[in-house]
């Protein structure tokens, strides 16, 4: 009677290593099949392409904004710069500033150039003059508005471009990540604005 339980125990011991070997074999990591590798590579390539497209779009957008800012600055400056830079053949004279209100001052215009006529009242930017002072000016054609002439007038006429350079430097640094170019633009803008207001 005791032989049967002993045989059962021996058979149970002999079967245990087999089960552990089977379980150890099943715990090995399953290698991905070769067919799944092209799919992963395709997804990686798609992500890279999307990132490249986003970067190109950002560069183009920020570059366009920077160029538009510079164009706007040149356009704003060019509305006055040609008259003070090339005064030959234009009405030139002096104005004595008698009244200032807001961003405009007024005064009497006395002609200096041949063919220019005197005016009892002309307007000039309040930023460029001070009340009670007399300044050399150029008459803007077709208007009763005068512009300061000489080096101070030229620098002041290009002041809008200086502001545009500062704004464009922020866009170039933040949007295009061109730090050195941004510093050059900012330095040019600061130098132009400082010279303009120092000369007034």
């Amino acid at each position: 009677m005791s032989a049967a339980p002993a045989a059962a125990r021996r058979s149970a011991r002999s079967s245990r290593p087999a089960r552990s070997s089977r379980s150890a074999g099943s715990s090995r990591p399953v290698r991905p099949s070769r067919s799944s590798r092209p799919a992963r590579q395709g997804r990686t390539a798609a992500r890279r392409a999307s990132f490249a497209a986003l970067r190109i779009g950002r560069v183009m957008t920020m570059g366009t904004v920077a160029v538009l800012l510079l164009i706007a600055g040149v356009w704003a400056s060019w509305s006055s710069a040609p008259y003070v830079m090339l005064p030959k053949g234009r009405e030139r004279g002096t104005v004595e500033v008698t009244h200032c209100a807001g961003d405009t001052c007024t005064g009497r215009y006395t002609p200096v150039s041949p063919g220019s006529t005197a005016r009892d009242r002309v307007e000039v930017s309040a930023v460029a003059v001070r009340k009670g002072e007399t300044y050399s000016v150029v008459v803007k054609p077709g208007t009763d508005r005068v512009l300061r002439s000489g080096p101070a007038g030229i620098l002041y006429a290009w002041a809008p471009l200086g502001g545009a350079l500062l704004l464009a430097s922020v866009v170039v640094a933040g949007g295009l990540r061109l730090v050195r170019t941004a510093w050059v633009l900012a330095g040019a803008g600061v130098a132009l604005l400082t010279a303009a207001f120092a000369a007034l």
Side-chain angles (χ1 to χ4, degrees):
M1 294 297 290
S2 62
R9 285 196 297 272
R10 284 197 297 271
S11 64
R13 292 194 192 99
S14 62
S15 63
R16 285 176 186 174
R19 285 197 300 270
S20 62
S21 61
R22 286 196 297 269
S23 62
S26 62
S27 63
R28 293 178 182 178
V30 179
R31 295 181 179 179
S33 61
R34 293 182 179 180
S35 61
S36 63
R37 293 178 182 176
R40 289 204 309 273
Q41 293 176 355
R43 289 194 295 269
T44 303
R47 285 196 297 268
R48 291 177 179 175
S50 63
F51 291 154
L54 288 174
R55 183 177 180 181
I56 293 172
R58 176 176 59 81
V59 170
M60 292 181 63
T61 302
M62 294 296 102
T64 302
V65 171
V67 171
L68 288 176
L69 286 172
L70 294 177
I71 292 175
V74 173
W75 183 267
S77 296
W78 199 249
S79 63
S80 302
Y83 307 115
V84 296
M85 293 176 65
L86 304 170
K88 188 176 180 180
R90 307 185 190 278
E91 289 190 80
R92 290 176 286 118
T94 60
V95 61
E96 183 181 356
V97 181
T98 57
H99 178 72
C100 291
D103 59 350
T104 302
C105 292
T106 58
R108 180 179 177 84
Y109 170 77
T110 303
V112 172
S113 61
S116 181
T117 58
R119 293 172 173 82
D120 294 332
R121 185 180 183 277
V122 292
E123 296 180 350
V124 64
S125 174
V127 180
V129 297
R130 294 182 181 86
K131 183 179 179 180
E133 300 289 336
T134 301
Y135 300 92
S136 297
V137 294
V138 177
V139 179
K140 198 170 184 178
T143 67
D144 287 329
R145 190 169 185 84
V146 296
L147 307 168
R148 276 196 66 174
S149 59
I154 294 173
L155 289 171
Y156 178 69
W158 287 105
L161 178 59
L165 287 169
L166 286 177
L167 292 176
S169 69
V170 177
V171 175
V172 170
L176 301 180
R177 311 294 169 82
L178 300 175
V179 179
R180 293 183 179 179
T181 304
W183 276 113
V184 172
L185 293 175
V190 170
L192 181 55
L193 290 173
T194 302
F197 288 99
L200 294 177

